[in-house]
């Protein structure tokens, strides 16, 4: 296969994301590992959303619900494991990441199924708003529900464990996140090229056409939405472990908005769009935040410049228009 | 008499006070091209929409391939073998012509819930789609995004998609519209061969094509069929001349 | 609980509804009719409030401040349209999301840069101070009645503008096919700048009016943004009537929810928790209502005939 | 001996006023000390917990700070403090003081220089016992709001006619005000921080309801008073400090602050000023590298606080006097006047749970 | 010459669609623009209206160079466009579609309604729900309401019933007799040729032939149009 430009850029991005923490580790600058981990996790969350939004055209303004759900799964299971109090049905909490991941993914799928089943009756802006409505319900619930900290959130005192490694080491945890990100992106790539992906993308472009060839757009979209929720939920669990803390702000509409922004910034529907977007956003947030207290002003200007002058986001700028074979 | 493939009886559709189809009864027999003509706004497209399930009829029945499909969704009817084209082309604009057709092929071949195998590496899918494009003469344009196709080419693409569904019946809503004289002629020839595959309900204002192709013609005026008959009968029918043909005959 | 109190709460709900409509009015124009996703609506609202507060403090007159709020917001709107939005009409909706998200950051920090980090003082004008005794004996603040009046006037004016004037037709036509309306000889570019500025001015007007009874501070536009979208979407995009009714529904639901749900919860849980649980339910209520409405009527309560 | 302090506070968005007063009060003390060994790095958390965590990580791992401080909000503090102390850093809180960190989850490296969240509400509860038979109490529906009403109820002995929780970020209070009017209460206690309080007070003033309003000090502090305007006149509040305090430290602080920043300081500035004084005093006598020694010096609280008396409880939270203040207008400027002392040497209810 | 197009070249993004088109329409003249599918007829029209401004070459209307003028300006100079695919405003009623961009002149609502009584019957209906033919009538009526000097019809009879087409051709003849200049694209030669004074044929984005309608022999038709 010939390397086209986008593939090349993608490889460079993936390599960079790996190289920076390795270098930081060697130089004894663990903070940059943390930063890279954050990028990887946000990119994973956005990759999930990208499946719904980029491929399916389902602009979910409520993906923070899944992100936060994943986060709370990690937080709550860990808290119960710590305190020893049993959870529902006498089950106990756990500090094993992989168990947490499975629970987060399954719960996200279920919640995604419920939200999607109702939301997908609407379309366009109505869809944006109904997904927002669901996320807001979860948000307000979390804020005012005392057992798990309400607005104060929930601390995970010690990062959850993964068999055979020490997750408290920043580099180890980064590598876990990095591998999961690559798996997520790989899944995205497979799905995009598959029959299901074709149908999903076609449903975005022309719903009537899809129905006319005999494919139910609703089912395709619902499936896409659920898969998307699962990936974002998993990212949420990782995010909680990164911060060792989970709070309703993971569920807020700002978070949903930020995920959307990451995608557009990187390039909607592009394989590595979320990663490019997350890297750019986090890097600017970090760099500007250190420079000036007016950093949000300049962040705004930069985002604006990207929309106005880089059509199709960062990848659009670097790799040109997306092709659909 | 052979069993009709498609049988519509007493189909009624109201838009508020407007009765767009007013008790239409019509059938489509194997191997035939049944033309449906009528003035603008007579309800032809509305009728097609109801048959395909894009619109739900208020009353009346639609039988297709021996069963009542009046309650099924559009997608289900398509899977049963109703292939259609739209009066205004309806395609997935970002996909290439090829992937548009592949979408139809994959729908025909079975489930769209396959998540891992890349479609472009699926020879069966690609080759079948290419065959369809070849049949409508779009081979050279296969890799062009559908948005960049000219008007006429999009119409051909739609037909290729209907073909790919291996439909039991074709419902074509003004396929000639926007085709140049040459295009119309070749499409006419093409439809003439297509009828061997499945019967066609043809809505068309291009009378040259209709007269050349139709086995039977029904004339819809204000939501009602006012006449059904052979080309000659219809050409001679004074009511049809007044309502529709004018001095074209 | 007395009947009089329940009645007063209903009135409060309606009043909140009209206030929400006023806050959503500019967005109805920009988003509902022009079809532009403008996340910076809340920022324009904030600009109006700040302009009013600053000018009122400087001149001592709320009314001059109010005029200033219109001018400042309209100017901000026009600049935003000319510099940013204009380039995005033929783009994906998502680009509008990103651009206007960026504008929120710029506006918020820009405002803080200009006015500092502390909330500003803005009081209602002496003319509208005090309370009025309504039939039935309830006292009701005059200013709130003034907001109701302003909301009603804006609703009526917008409705006429959109559905009865050629300008309205052209805006709607531009929404569905900008190129075509241009090809028919309408200078849609300038028209859209003007309409955007008008929408911005309405946002600014609401900011000044409502700001006088709230806190004039950076970030004040954010809750407004979400509520305004909720209101418009519940009502049905593109319809002024829908937006108004949507706003009233949200206002009454929210007020009555806040008022009644804690009382209702007492029946099920100990009173100490009833307040909290009731309040939690109340804060979720409008979103629940919205989700139910959209699930049943996917295009809102009153889908605009022309949307 | 060099000492590096990381200040994470809110410098942008709606809550920026609090963060700016925090920073300014803190830096004033640093500047006054003339201590050149101390460096302070400041960053904006934009009031987002995740961002605060990121900055804390950066300050600890990259900037190698020794002490963290500055967070205004409880939920951000809960995100940052446990992790920071787990990594062996001191945290000195300038404001936020959630119950958890005062009680079971207290930590040797965590100090609070402000108060415990409940303190001011407790004081109002105590004050309300005198002359208010029926109280209407109200707070937003989130942990700080619940703590507030819990604190109030801990001391208030009269009848509660109503206990209302509002939505976080609510801007319209017509419904609640109507309930107040109808409740028959003779006093109202509200805890509505920031913009919520401003909106409430303005709307309350217009409603024509004449029941006296009281609240915790920061509801009528200098950052919000100008925005509320005359609607705040007469409101009673509780505080550990008011600008009219008649002690040399307070006078100096007030004069220095006004000279430096040309405005009146709020309570946040005082708290941060004291936090800085505490760190300075400890740093002048012990090395921060020797955590035990540094901690011991901090615990001595050997500073001249504008608040007057100030010492640490066993849970490393303040024991201090709490006063009743009233909003008055002086020379055309709204400010708080001290009325009386409510509590002397007041600690908090959670210290007993703290096992250090 | 009312309209004078010389050597224009136009692009869609990077891909060139016109490679040098020459065309002119005199005052009161009806010119047919012809060519197979995809040869550039629509693109030429878009270029004239500056909806897709030519990168090279000039377009003059009544002697005025249209370079750099925005489409609405071009329209106000007197071009009325009936675009390919109708493009009625779906969210406006029939009546609103007609009056939204109307400019004063001979053509009034009454006259248009007289020309297409069907539109009068449907005046309060949303254009989205009109039948295809009704939309076509609406698009023509809408262009006429701007009272143009030059009417451009891109496949204006597509999808119309024979009786209506005859009406429309009749109307076009009448418009021409009124002195209106017309540039028309249509595929039905039998109807087009009697109306057209001159024909211009495009092939692969170039003007390949132009001349009097009568000179368009069957060989030429076969060569360029595939009839
Ligand atoms: N959704 C709708 N609401 C109201 N009226 C409608 C709707 N859809 C169609 N109509 C009306 O129903 C009538 C029939 O429309 P239809 O599109 O079926 O006509 P048609 O026979 O296909 O005409 P044409 O040949 O011009 O395409 C028209 O008068 C049209 O205006
Ligand atoms: N939006 C577009 N983007 C890219 N290429 C385009 C676009 N529209 C048209 N083209 C190309 O430009 C060429 C000329 O197209 P045009 O639409 O002008 O042809 P036409 O003569 O009007 O054809 P028809 O008779 O089918 O309408 C075609 O090759 C077409 O593929
Ligand atoms: Mg039709
Ligand atoms: Mg064309």
């Amino acid at each position: 296969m010939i390397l086209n430009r986008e593939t090349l850029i993608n490889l460079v991005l993936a390599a960079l994301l790996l190289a920076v923490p390795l270098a930081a580790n060697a130089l004894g600058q663990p903070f940059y590992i943390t930063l890279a981990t954050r990028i990887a996790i946000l990119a994973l969350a956005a990759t999930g959303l990208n499946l719904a939004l980029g491929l399916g055209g389902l602009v979910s303004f409520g993906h923070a619900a899944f992100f936060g759900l994943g986060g709370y799964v990690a937080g709550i299971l860990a808290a119960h494991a710590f305190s020893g109090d049993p959870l529902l049905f006498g089950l106990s909490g756990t500090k094993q990441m992989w168990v947490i991941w499975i629970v987060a993914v399954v719960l996200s799928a279920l919640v995604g199924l419920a939200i999607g089943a109702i939301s997908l009756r609407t379309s366009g802006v109505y869809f944006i708003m109904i997904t927002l409505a669901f996320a807001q319900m979860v948000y307000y619930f979390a804020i005012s529900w005392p057992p798990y900290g309400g607005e104060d959130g929930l601390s995970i005192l010690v990062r959850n464990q993964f068999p055979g490694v020490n997750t408290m080491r920043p580099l180890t945890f980064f590598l876990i996140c990095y591998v999961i990100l690559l798996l997520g992106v790989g899944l995205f790539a497979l799905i995009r090229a598959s029959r299901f992906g074709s149908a999903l993308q076609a449903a975005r472009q022309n719903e009537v056409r899809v129905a006319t060839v005999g494919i139910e757009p609703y089912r395709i979209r619902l499936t896409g939405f659920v898969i998307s929720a699962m990936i974002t939920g998993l990212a949420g669990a990782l995010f909680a472990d990164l911060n060792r803390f989970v709070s309703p702000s993971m569920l807020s509409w700002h978070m949903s908005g930020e995920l959307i922004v990451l995608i557009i910034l990187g390039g909607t529907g592009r394989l590595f769009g979320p990663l490019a977007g997350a890297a750019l956003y986090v890097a600017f947030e970090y760099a500007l935040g250190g420079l000036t207290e007016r950093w949000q002003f300049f962040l705004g200007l930069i985002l604006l410049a990207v929309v106005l002058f880089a059509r199709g986001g960062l990848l659009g700028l670097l790799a040109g228009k997306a092709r659909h074979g | 008499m052979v069993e009709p493939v498609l049988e519509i009886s007493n189909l009624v559709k109201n838009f508020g006070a407007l009765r767009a189809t007013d008790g239409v009864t019509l059938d489509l027999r194997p191997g035939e091209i049944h033309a449906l003509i009528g003035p603008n706004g007579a309800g032809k497209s509305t009728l097609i929409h109801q048959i395909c399930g894009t619109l739900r009829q208020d009353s009346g029945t639609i039988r297709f391939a021996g069963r009542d499909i009046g309650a099924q969704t559009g997608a289900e009817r398509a899977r049963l073998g109703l292939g259609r084209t739209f009066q205004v082309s309806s395609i997935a604009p970002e996909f290439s012509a090829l992937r548009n057709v592949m979408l139809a092929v994959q729908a025909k071949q079975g489930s769209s819930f396959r998540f891992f195998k890349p479609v472009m590496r699926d020879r069966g899918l690609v080759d079948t789609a290419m065959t369809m494009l070849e049949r409508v003469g779009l081979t050279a344009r296969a890799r062009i995004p559908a948005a960049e196709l000219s008007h006429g080419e999009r119409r051909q693409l739609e037909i290729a998609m209907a073909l790919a569904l291996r439909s039991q019946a074709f419902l074509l809503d003004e396929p000639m519209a926007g085709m140049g004289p040459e295009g119309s002629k070749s499409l006419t020839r093409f439809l003439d061969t297509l009828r061997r595959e499945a019967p066609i309900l043809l809505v068309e204002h291009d009378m040259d094509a209709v007269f050349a192709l139709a086995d039977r013609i029904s004339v819809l005026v204000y939501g009602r069929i006012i006449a059904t008959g052979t080309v000659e009968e219809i050409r001679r029918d004074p009511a049809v001349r007044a309502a529709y043909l004018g001095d074209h005959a | 609980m007395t009947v009089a109190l329940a009645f007063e709460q209903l009135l409060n709900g309606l009043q909140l509804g009209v206030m929400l409509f006023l806050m959503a009015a500019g967005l109805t124009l920009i988003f509902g009719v022009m079809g532009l996703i403008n996340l910076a609506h809340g920022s324009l609202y904030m600009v109006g409030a700040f302009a009013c507060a600053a000018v009122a403090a400087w001149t001592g007159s709320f009314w001059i401040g109010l005029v200033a709020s219109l001018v400042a917001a309209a100017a901000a709107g026009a600049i935003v349209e000319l510099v940013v939005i204009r380039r995005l009409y033929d783009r994906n909706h998502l680009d509008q999301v990103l651009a206007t998200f960026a504008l929120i950051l710029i506006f918020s920090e820009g405002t803080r840069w200009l006015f500092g980090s502390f909330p500003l003082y803005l009081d209602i004008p002496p003319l509208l101070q005090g309370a009025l005794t309504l039939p039935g004996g309830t006292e009701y603040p005059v200013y709130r009645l003034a907001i109701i009046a302003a909301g009603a006037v804006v609703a009526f004016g917008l409705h006429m503008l959109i559905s009865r004037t050629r300008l309205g037709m052209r805006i709607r036509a531009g929404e569905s096919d900008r190129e075509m309306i241009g090809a028919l000889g309408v200078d849609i570019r300038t028209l859209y700048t003007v309409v955007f500025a008008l929408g911005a001015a309405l946002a600014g007007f609401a900011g000044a009016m409502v700001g006088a009874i709230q806190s004039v501070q950076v970030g004040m536009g954010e809750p407004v943004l979400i509520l305004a979208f909720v209101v418009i979407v519940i009502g049905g995009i593109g319809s002024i009537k829908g937006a108004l009714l949507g706003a009233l529904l949200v206002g009454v639901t929210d007020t009555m929810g806040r008022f009644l749900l804690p009382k209702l919860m007492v029946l099920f849980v100990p009173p100490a928790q009833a307040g909290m649980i009731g309040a939690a339910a109340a804060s979720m209520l409008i979103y629940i209502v919205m989700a139910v409405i959209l699930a049943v009527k996917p295009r809102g309560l009153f889908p605009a005939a022309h949307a | 001996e060099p000492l590096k302090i990381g200040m994470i506070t809110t410098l942008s968005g709606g809550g920026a006023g609090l963060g700016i007063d925090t920073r300014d009060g803190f830096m004033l003390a640093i500047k006054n000390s003339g201590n050149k060994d101390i460096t302070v790095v400041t960053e904006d958390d934009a009031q987002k917990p995740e961002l605060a965590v990121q900055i804390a990580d950066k300050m600890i791992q990259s900037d190698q700070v020794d002490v963290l401080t500055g967070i205004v909000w409880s939920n951000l503090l809960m995100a940052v403090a446990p992790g920071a102390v787990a990594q062996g850093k001191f945290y000195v809180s300038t404001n936020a003081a959630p119950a958890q960190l005062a009680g079971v989850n207290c930590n040797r490296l965590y100090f609070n220089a402000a108060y415990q969240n409940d303190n001011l509400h407790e004081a109002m509860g105590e004050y309300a016992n005198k002359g208010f038979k029926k109280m209407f109490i109200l707070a937003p529906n989130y942990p700080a709001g619940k703590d507030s009403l819990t604190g109030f109820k801990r001391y208030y002995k009269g009848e509660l006619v109503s206990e209302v929780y509002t939505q976080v970020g609510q801007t319209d209070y017509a419904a609640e005000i109507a309930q107040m009017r109808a409740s028959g209460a003779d006093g109202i206690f509200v805890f509505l921080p920031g913009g919520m309080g401003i909106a409430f007070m303005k709307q309350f003033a217009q409603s024509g309801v004449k029941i006296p309003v009281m609240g915790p000090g920061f509801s009528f502090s200098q950052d919000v008073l100008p925005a509320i305007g005359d609607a705040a006149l007469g409101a009673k509040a509780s505080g550990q400090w008011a600008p009219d305090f008649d002690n040399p430290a307070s006078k100096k602080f007030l004069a220095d602050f006004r000279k430096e920043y040309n405005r009146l300081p709020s309570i946040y500035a005082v708290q941060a000023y004291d936090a800085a004084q505490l760190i300075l005093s400890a740093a002048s006598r012990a090395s921060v590298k020797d955590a035990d020694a540094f901690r011991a010096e901090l615990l001595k609280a050997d500073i001249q606080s504008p608040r007057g008396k100030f010492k640490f409880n066993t849970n490393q939270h303040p024991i201090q006097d709490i006063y009743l203040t009233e909003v008055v207008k002086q020379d055309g400027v709204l400010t708080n006047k001290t009325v009386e002392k409510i509590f002397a040497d007041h600690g908090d209810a959670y210290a007993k749970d703290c096992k250090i | 010459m009312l309209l004078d197009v010389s050597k224009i070249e136009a692009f869609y993004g990077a891909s060139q669609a016109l490679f040098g088109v020459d065309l002119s329409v005199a005052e009161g003249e009806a010119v047919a623009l012809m060519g197979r599918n995809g040869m550039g007829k629509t693109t030429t029209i878009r270029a004239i209206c500056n909806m897709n401004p030519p990168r090279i070459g000039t377009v003059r209307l009544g002697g005025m160079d249209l370079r750099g003028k925005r489409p609405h300006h071009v329209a106000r100079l007197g071009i009325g466009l009936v675009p390919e695919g109708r493009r009625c405003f779906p969210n406006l009623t029939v009546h609103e579609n007609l009056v939204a961009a109307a400019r004063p002149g001979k053509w009034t609502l009454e006259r248009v309604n007289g020309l297409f009584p069907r539109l009068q019957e449907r005046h309060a209906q949303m254009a989205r729900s009109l039948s295809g033919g009704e939309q076509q009538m609406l698009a023509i009526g809408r262009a006429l309401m701007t009272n143009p000097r030059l009417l451009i019809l891109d496949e204006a009879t597509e999808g119309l019933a024979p009786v209506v087409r005859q009406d429309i051709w009749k109307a076009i003849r009448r418009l021409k007799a009124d002195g209106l200049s017309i540039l028309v694209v249509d595929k039905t030669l039998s109807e087009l040729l009697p109306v057209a004074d001159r024909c211009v044929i495009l092939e692969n984005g170039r003007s390949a032939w132009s001349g009097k309608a009568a000179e368009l022999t069957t060989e030429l038709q076969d060569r360029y149009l595939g009839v």
Side-chain angles (χ1 to χ4, degrees), chain D residues 25-35 249 252-257 259-260 273 277 280:
Chain D
F26 195 91
M27 295 314 288
L28 184 66
I30 300 286
K31 182 169 172 246
N32 284 352
S33 77
N35 189 337
K252 172 168 162 38
F253 167 73
L254 202 59
D256 288 352
F257 193 94
K259 180 157 150 274
E260 188 74 25
Y273 181 78
Q277 290 201 77
L280 283 163

Side-chain angles (χ1 to χ4, degrees), chain B residues 138 141 144 147-156 177-183, chain E residues 10 12 15-19 21 33-44 84 154-155 185 187 201-206 224-225:
Chain B
L138 275 182
R141 308 286 276 168
I144 307 281
E148 289 170 27
L149 296 178
S150 87
H151 195 66
E153 290 165 339
R154 291 186 200 182
R155 320 254 19 162
Q156 292 163 313
M179 294 247 182
E182 184 190 32
Chain E
Y12 286 104
S15 71
Q16 188 163 6
L18 297 185
F19 297 83
V21 172
L33 183 61
M34 306 199 276
R36 291 187 167 97
N37 283 129
M39 290 304 163
K41 304 181 289 292
T42 301
T43 311
T44 303
E84 182 174 81
D154 194 352
E155 316 250 7
V185 174
K187 66 164 197 179
I201 298 181
L202 299 186
E203 192 171 48
N204 292 325
R206 288 188 179 79
Y224 289 116
L225 308 173

Side-chain angles (χ1 to χ4, degrees), chain B residues 15 40-46 87 205, chain E residues 122 125 129 131-134:
Chain B
F15 293 118
N40 297 115
K44 303 179 294 295
S45 297
T46 306
Q87 185 164 357
H205 289 298
Chain E
R122 298 256 173 277
Q125 189 172 327
S129 61
S131 84
E134 290 162 347

Side-chain angles (χ1 to χ4, degrees), chain A residues 10-89:
Chain A
N10 291 348
L11 286 175
V12 170
L13 271 174
L16 263 182
L17 183 62
L18 184 60
V20 167
L22 289 178
N25 194 48
L27 298 174
Q29 284 284 358
F31 173 65
Y32 292 95
I33 308 177
T34 312
L35 210 59
T37 315
R38 194 179 162 88
I39 291 176
I41 296 173
L42 286 176
L44 180 67
T47 300
L49 178 58
N50 201 19
L51 196 78
L53 185 150
L55 298 188
L58 306 171
V59 185
S60 164
F61 203 178
H63 256 50
F66 309 118
F67 194 60
L69 185 68
Y72 268 98
V73 166
I76 292 176
L77 287 180
H80 280 271
F82 188 76
S83 70
D85 298 339
L87 208 59
L88 287 180
F89 318 118

